[in-house]
Structures are given as C-alpha cells and as structure tokens.
Amino acid sequence: MANSSIALPTASSKPRVRPWLTIVVALIVRDFGLRFRNYHPAIGILLFIEPIIVIATMSGLKIFLFGKEPPFGPSVLLFMGTGILPFYIFRRCATGVRGLKSRALEYYLVKPFDFLLSRFLISIIQNIILMIIFFSALYIYGIREAAPVLPDMCLISLFAIACFSIGISLINTSIQSYFPGWAQVYGFLSRPVMMFSGAFRTVDLSPEPLRTVYSWNPLSHMIELFRLGFYPNYPHASFDGIYLTKWCAGVIFVGILFYNNKAKD
C-alpha cells in the first residue's frame, strides 16, 4: 500500500545485512494494495470470489441435471466447495511471476525470488480467507458438516498443495522469462485440469477408466485428503500418500533446476 509504514529499501540505502523477512512482508503489504488497483471495485470483488461463483454454478448444474442428491455427504455446495476451493489455491498460487529481474532492479537488496515468494504468499492468504468465509457461511446457514472433523487432514492437504504449487510456480516463472505470453497459455490450460482432479465427483465411486485417470492426477489425491477432513468416512482407496509425496518433491526439484538455470541467464 502506498501509505504503508513498511518501506522497501531503495538503491540509495546504506549497504547492510539483507533484511529478508522485512522485504517479503513489505512486498506483501504493497502488492495487496496494488493487486486490484487497475480494476473497478466490482470487478475486483468478482475476481476475488471467482471460486465461489464456480461452486454456485457447478452446484446449480448438478442439481438441475441430476437432482439434489450430492455425490457424497449432506450438501452439494459443501461437496463442490471441498473440491473447487483447494484446486483454486493451486491454480492461483502456481501462476508464477514475470519480469522478476526488472522489478528487482527497482529496489536495493530485493531479489527476484522475493517477488515470487510474496506473490505466492498473497495468493495463499487470499484463498485461505475466502475458504474460511465460505465454510463459515455454510456452517451458519445450518450445514454443521462445514466445520472440519479432522482439521489436521485439511492442513496436510493444504501443505501438499502449497509444495506442489511453489514447484509449478518456479517452472512457470522460468518459462515466462523466455515467453512472456505463457501466463495466458497456462491460465487457459489449467482450467480443464479441474475436470480431471476429482473436484466434481468422488474418485473411488467413479467408473473406469475415469477412476484411473483421476488417480494419475496428483491434485485428486490432495482433494481427497482435504475432503477426509470434512468426511471421516469419505472413500479414499485410490489415495496414495507416497505417490503424492513423490510428485511434490519432484516438481519442487524440477522447479529449482528451471529457476536456477534462468537466474544464470
């Protein structure tokens, strides 16, 4: 924010030990104010609640086409929310940042990775706030199952999503440094992935070969784990923690390789 008391160190600052935490916090505070500045307030609100709009749309289609019986649990809205909201955390956090070097040159002691990390943390905070608002609203409305029974499962799932997202974000940032239009391409390609992540249906109750296709997608395992926090009896025979861990570690490793290679250019 322009009037924030947290100031980014400029090129005229005296040489000193790099205050990494202060820099990242300052970038977060600044970028929160700049994120929707170029949009009309109504457009900014719509962008913020986009996942809620998708949940309402998909729930309406499900009820219209197949009736009010949810795929699992007592509420269609709750079931859709436990799939779509985790997916949107991944989608928004994995976008990456372009023009890191040119932005870093504007400030002394600020490194390109600081911008990427601040953007990642902003997306995490923004979507966690939206998630809390959504599930709290359902709970107040009378859907008691909207309060997680096993919150540790939800936290583990969110941690896995964060690890997977930061790896993809490193890869996307590296690609964007060579192809500036990649952000639009990624945004277009990432939307259909939600159809094959188990966000709209229960993986274990899906017919073959859909069940196998879903199980190949690491995001489906993250969503299954998140839903276990709300539905202790949720069918999760297809969940594979080792497979998910390998994906997260592998993506982070590849992301670091891509990012380090870009940094040398």
Side-chain angles (χ1 to χ4, degrees):
M1 295 181 184
N3 298 324
S4 172
S5 61
I6 303 178
L8 289 168
T10 61
S12 60
S13 302
K14 293 182 180 181
R16 55 192 175 88
V17 177
R18 184 169 178 264
W20 178 79
L21 182 60
T22 302
I23 288 172
V24 172
V25 172
L27 288 171
I28 291 174
V29 173
R30 190 200 67 160
D31 286 353
F32 253 125
L34 296 176
R35 170 152 288 209
F36 299 114
R37 181 169 293 180
N38 296 329
Y39 299 103
H40 186 278
I43 301 298
I45 293 173
L46 287 176
L47 290 174
F48 176 70
I49 66 170
E50 179 188 349
I52 306 298
I53 296 173
V54 175
I55 291 170
T57 302
M58 297 307 299
S59 298
L61 286 174
K62 166 66 178 65
I63 293 172
F64 178 77
L65 295 175
F66 305 105
K68 295 183 179 181
E69 185 68 24
F72 192 87
S75 167
V76 175
L77 278 173
L78 178 60
F79 182 84
M80 292 296 179
T82 54
I84 293 173
L85 287 173
F87 176 83
Y88 260 86
I89 291 180
F90 157 74
R91 185 173 180 272
R92 286 175 164 176
C93 293
T95 303
V97 184
R98 66 179 178 181
L100 290 179
K101 283 190 175 181
S102 61
R103 294 181 66 187
L105 291 175
E106 299 174 9
Y107 303 103
Y108 186 59
L109 298 177
V110 180
K111 304 297 183 183
F113 183 76
D114 297 335
F115 286 101
L116 187 150
L117 182 61
S118 65
R119 169 73 177 269
F120 175 81
L121 292 176
I122 287 172
S123 296
I124 286 283
I125 295 169
Q126 172 186 329
N127 285 279
I128 291 296
I129 291 173
L130 187 63
M131 186 177 285
I132 292 173
I133 292 172
F134 176 78
F135 290 121
S136 297
L138 290 185
Y139 185 85
I140 293 172
Y141 182 72
I143 303 175
R144 298 308 180 193
E145 291 78 5
V149 179
L150 301 172
D152 54 325
M153 292 295 181
C154 296
L155 292 176
I156 294 172
S157 172
L158 293 176
F159 177 74
I161 292 171
C163 292
F164 191 69
S165 300
I166 193 67
I168 298 295
S169 180
L170 290 169
I171 295 172
N172 282 333
T173 298
S174 303
I175 295 175
Q176 287 181 59
S177 65
Y178 300 106
F179 306 103
W182 175 251
Q184 287 71 33
V185 175
Y186 171 79
F188 175 78
L189 295 177
S190 64
R191 288 184 182 275
V193 174
M194 184 164 56
M195 301 293 296
F196 301 98
S197 63
F200 304 140
R201 60 192 307 164
T202 305
V203 175
D204 278 13
L205 302 182
S206 300
E208 293 289 358
L210 280 178
R211 184 179 184 277
T212 300
V213 173
Y214 288 147
S215 64
W216 287 341
N217 187 345
L219 289 171
S220 72
H221 298 265
M222 301 174 197
I223 290 174
E224 278 189 286
L225 189 58
F226 187 79
R227 281 183 171 147
L228 272 173
F230 290 84
Y231 312 113
N233 59 337
Y234 187 77
H236 59 284
S238 59
F239 174 76
D240 189 337
I242 296 177
Y243 179 79
L244 178 57
T245 303
K246 288 180 178 178
W247 260 102
C248 291
V251 165
I252 290 175
F253 178 74
V254 173
I256 292 173
L257 288 181
F258 271 54
Y259 189 81
N260 285 341
N261 184 66
K262 178 192 74 66
K264 294 176 183 178
D265 294 341

